[in-house]
Structure formats: C-alpha cells, structure tokens
C-alpha cells in the first residue's frame, strides 16, 4: 500500500484522505490546528469540517508540514487558494520534493496572483517547485461535495494532467466503486471551470434567495426556477468563454462533469459554500460589515467559512478585462462584492440586457 500526504485538513482534504485510507493506504494529513489533530488522531473524526463521519485508524494528522510531505509516494494539496502558494513554499526543502520523487496533485479551486496578473494554479506552482514537476502536476476537480464523498455517495471526478501516467496514477489512487475518476489532458480548461463556477454560484445563491425574499419588492413575482436555469446557462457560457481565452484545448471539457456538472452541483447543492454566501447576501446582509471586496477578503475569517468564489471574483474580473471578454454575470457579481451595486439592481440589469 502507498504512503500519501495531504496538505490541508478542511472538509475536502479530509474527505479525499478518508477515501484513500479506506482502500488500505497510510495517509498523513497536515493541519495547523491542535484541536483538529486531537480530533483526528484520538477521536477519529474531523468534527469541525465533517461532523459525524468516522475516519479510519490509518488516517493520521500531523502539524509538521515537512514530515507530512516528505517520503510520500503521493502528495495532495488541499489548502484554500488564499494560502496555497505559502503552503507550497514551506515544502520545497523536503528531500523527496526537492528530488521530484513524490507525485503531486492539487484539489484547490481558484486562481493565484502574480506580478503579471491572475494565473492558473498549476502553472504558478510549477514556477516554485523543482523542474521535475513541470507539466507533471495533476489537477483534480469535478461535481463533488466533501459531505457526500465522505459518506460514500456516488460521485465523479476528473484527474487532469499533461502527464498521462500521473493522471492515471492519481485516477487509480482515488477511484472506488462509488468514486468514479476520469482522466483529461485539458488541464487549463478544467482549472478555469473549477475556479469560475464558484463566482457564478454566488450569483445563483442570490437569485435563489430573491425568489422568496419579502424585502425585495416584486422579486417573488419576477424570479423563478426558469430564471435560475437561465442564469446557470449564461454562467456556463461565460466559463467557456474564459476557458477558451486562457487556452482550454477541448470544448467538451465544458459540457462534461468538470464543466456543466461541477457548475450545476455548486449552484444547486445545499452543501455549496458559494451558494450559501450568495443566499446570505440577500437573507442576512452578510456584506454589511465590509467596505469593499478587498476588505471582505482581508476579513474573510469573520464570515465563518471560506467561499472561494469571493476570491475568484476579483481575478475573473481582471482576466475578463485582460482578454476583453463580455462576462456580465461575473462582472456584476464583482460589483456587488465590491459594494458598487445592489443584487436586485444587478439581476434586473442583467435580465434586461438579454432582451
């Protein structure tokens, strides 16, 4: 059985760790939280992120990131996008990473900043990792929720890489009778779809809440299920437009589980944090304490959870401007998060623009 390290003990990192450990592999998961360490190692649960899900004994937690990363056959990066680059910088001295002996995959969804503007995750990490990893990293995405995967609900994922061997290795590591994993060579398209769909999901959550919101005059009569499907379809078109501009190689990426599948589950599932954040903009005025988007990101811990679409919204807007793309949903969502417009005004304007 293989030795696996996972960096990030959030819900998704823990769920993937459980799937791999359930197959008999030894899994070490890195967490900087002492309460999480005790939770996982003593009580065999992650009560903060995956309550009531029993974890196997061969899944252990560690607060030493080098120990977690070194000497592993496989390493999976599951830190949020805000912290991913700093996490990778911490493991560069691990001997097995320095020598390129460990295969690396990434679960994180989003974009990363650079002096030249927002970039995709894998190409950014390649600039920091040893040369062995260039065009060999694997990106794992798809319509999935940790709460379901950890409980054995049938789910499909994509393992995308320019290195076919590594894609197959991680596909085989993850797959089980209830977790279907497929390979893809469209690394850029899968990454764009995984990041941009979180932006659309926040807008979808707002619309979902507006359907029954008493505080917005006329909203209940104006918005319905068909309106949501209209928003979802238009959002998918924006994702595909951005993906093409950023070098996606296969149009079917956006009509497969990594495109329309991931977008649909992120928008509609009760487990979706981005959908939840969008609903809470309407229902709880969650944006009230924040001056603008930069202030929201800086104080994101006050929200109590991390909707990745908040971070991605800033980058998607910058990319739309860079490539001169028309992306009204993503741009409008940015304006809402930046306190430039109100949700109902944006939705009315968007729908009028489609006439």
């Amino acid at each position: 059985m293989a030795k696996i390290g996972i960096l990030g003990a959030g819900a998704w990192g823990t769920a993937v760790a459980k799937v791999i450990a359930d197959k008999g592999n030894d899994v070490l998961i890195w967490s900087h939280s002492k309460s999480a360490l005790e939770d996982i190692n003593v009580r065999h649960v992650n009560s903060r992120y995956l309550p009531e899900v029993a974890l196997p004994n061969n899944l252990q937690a560690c607060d030493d990131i080098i120990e977690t990363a070194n000497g592993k056959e496989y390493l999976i990066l599951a830190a949020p996008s805000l912290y991913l680059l700093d996490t990778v910088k911490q493991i560069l001295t691990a001997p097995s990473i320095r020598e390129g002996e460990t295969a690396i995959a990434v679960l994180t969804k989003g974009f990363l900043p650079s002096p030249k503007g927002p970039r995709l995750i894998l190409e950014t990490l390649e600039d920091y990792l040893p040369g062995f990893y260039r065009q060999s990293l694997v990106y794992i995405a798809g319509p999935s929720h940790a709460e379901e995967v950890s409980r054995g609900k049938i789910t499909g994922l994509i393992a995308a890489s320019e290195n076919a061997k590594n894609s197959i290795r991680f596909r085989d590591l993850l797959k089980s009778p209830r977790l279907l994993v497929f390979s893809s060579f469209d690394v850029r398209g899968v990454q764009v779809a995984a990041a941009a769909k979180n932006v659309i999901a926040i807008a979808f959550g707002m619309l979902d809440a507006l359907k029954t919101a008493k505080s917005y005059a006329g909203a209940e009569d104006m918005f319905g299920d068909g309106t949501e499907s209209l928003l979802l379809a238009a959002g998918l078109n924006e994702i595909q437009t951005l993906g093409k501009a950023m070098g996606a190689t296969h149009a079917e990426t956006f009509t497969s589980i990594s495109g329309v599948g991931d977008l649909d589950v992120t928008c509609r599932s009760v487990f979706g944090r981005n959908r939840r954040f969008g609903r809470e903009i309407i229902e709880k005025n969650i944006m009230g304490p924040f001056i603008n988007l930069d202030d929201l990101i800086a104080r994101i811990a006050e929200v109590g959870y991390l909707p990745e679409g908040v971070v991605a919204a800033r980058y998607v807007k910058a990319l739309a401007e860079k490539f001169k793309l028309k992306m009204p949903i993503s741009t409008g969502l940015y304006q809402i998060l930046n306190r430039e417009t109100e949700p109902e005004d944006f939705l009315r304007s968007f729908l009028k623009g489609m006439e």
Side-chain angles (χ1 to χ4, degrees):
M1 294 291 102
K3 291 184 177 180
I4 294 92
I6 295 184
L7 303 184
W12 193 216
T14 304
V16 170
K18 180 182 184 296
V19 168
I20 298 171
D22 281 342
K23 296 173 67 175
N25 300 288
D26 290 329
V27 180
L28 190 61
I29 189 167
W30 172 71
S31 173
H32 53 75
S33 167
K34 293 193 179 298
S35 60
L37 290 173
E38 185 176 353
D39 232 13
I40 295 170
N41 293 336
V42 178
R43 289 180 287 276
H44 303 293
V45 293
N46 188 336
S47 56
R48 178 178 179 184
Y49 293 107
L50 284 178
E52 301 180 8
V53 174
L55 304 177
N57 293 341
N58 55 326
L59 167 55
Q60 293 289 302
C62 177
D63 61 359
D64 186 326
I65 194 169
I66 295 296
E67 180 183 343
T68 306
N70 191 45
K72 305 300 187 295
E73 186 175 349
Y74 301 92
L75 182 66
I76 297 176
L77 309 180
S81 61
L82 280 174
Y83 317 114
L84 181 61
L85 195 53
D86 287 339
T87 299
V88 169
K89 289 177 181 179
Q90 293 181 63
I91 65 170
L92 296 179
T93 58
S96 62
I97 302 297
R98 195 169 58 236
E99 298 300 323
E101 297 169 353
T102 299
I104 298 178
V106 181
L107 300 177
T108 308
K109 297 175 173 67
F111 301 95
L112 295 179
S114 79
K116 297 181 180 180
R119 300 179 69 196
L120 295 172
I121 285 175
L122 295 198
E123 65 181 5
T124 306
L125 298 187
E126 285 177 350
D127 286 346
Y128 290 87
L129 290 163
F132 304 104
Y133 292 102
R134 191 161 295 278
Q135 298 181 320
S136 291
L137 299 175
V138 179
Y139 191 77
I140 298 168
S144 52
H145 285 296
E147 294 83 354
E148 293 186 343
V149 171
S150 63
R151 290 173 169 85
K153 304 290 186 181
I154 295 173
T155 301
L157 295 175
I158 294 287
S161 180
E162 296 177 74
N163 184 314
K165 179 180 177 181
N166 281 353
S167 173
I168 292 170
R169 290 175 69 190
F170 276 99
R171 182 190 71 188
D172 292 344
L173 177 70
L174 290 168
K175 71 178 182 180
S176 73
R178 295 192 179 185
L179 185 60
L180 313 178
V181 187
F182 306 91
S183 292
S184 171
F185 295 112
D186 189 4
V187 181
R188 302 183 74 82
V190 171
Q191 288 181 88
V192 171
K197 54 94 179 180
N198 286 329
V199 177
I200 304 301
I202 296 178
F204 189 97
M206 290 190 302
L207 177 57
D208 194 47
L210 278 170
K211 284 166 52 181
T212 56
K214 304 298 183 183
S215 56
Y216 287 81
E220 190 173 359
D221 295 330
M222 180 178 293
F223 305 129
D225 294 344
T227 323
E228 290 185 343
S229 293
L230 175 63
L231 180 64
L232 191 148
L236 179 62
N237 184 62
E238 290 192 11
I239 294 169
Q240 188 167 11
T241 298
L242 180 60
K244 183 178 179 180
M246 296 191 73
T249 56
H250 294 68
E252 57 267 29
T253 294
F254 303 97
T255 56
S256 73
I257 61 173
S258 59
V260 66
D262 204 359
L263 174 64
D264 180 71
V265 76
T266 304
C267 287
R268 298 190 187 277
S269 175
V270 296
F271 298 119
R273 290 188 297 273
N274 295 285
R275 175 182 183 270
R276 173 185 172 186
F277 188 80
R279 287 188 61 86
E280 291 184 348
I281 290 175
I282 304 300
E283 297 173 339
K284 298 183 178 180
N285 189 29
I286 200 169
M287 287 297 301
F290 305 105
I291 300 171
N292 53 30
L293 180 54
D294 289 341
D295 185 39
L296 172 60
I297 293 173
R299 299 162 54 198
I300 196 68
E302 296 177 26
V303 173
Y305 59 95
L306 177 56
E308 284 281 9
V310 166
V311 183
R314 179 168 60 186
Y315 298 137
V316 169
K317 176 181 179 290
L319 290 165
E321 292 175 348
K322 175 182 177 180
F323 294 111
K324 297 179 173 57
L325 305 176
K326 186 178 180 180
M327 300 179 65
I329 300 175
S330 302
T331 302
L333 191 276
Y334 169 86
Q335 291 171 345
I336 292 169
L337 298 180
N338 206 39
R339 305 302 303 273
E340 297 174 21
T341 189
E342 293 299 319
E344 189 181 21
D345 294 337
F346 154 65
L347 286 169
R348 290 180 188 275
S349 174
F350 168 71
L351 293 171
K352 185 176 181 180
M354 297 190 71
E355 293 177 353

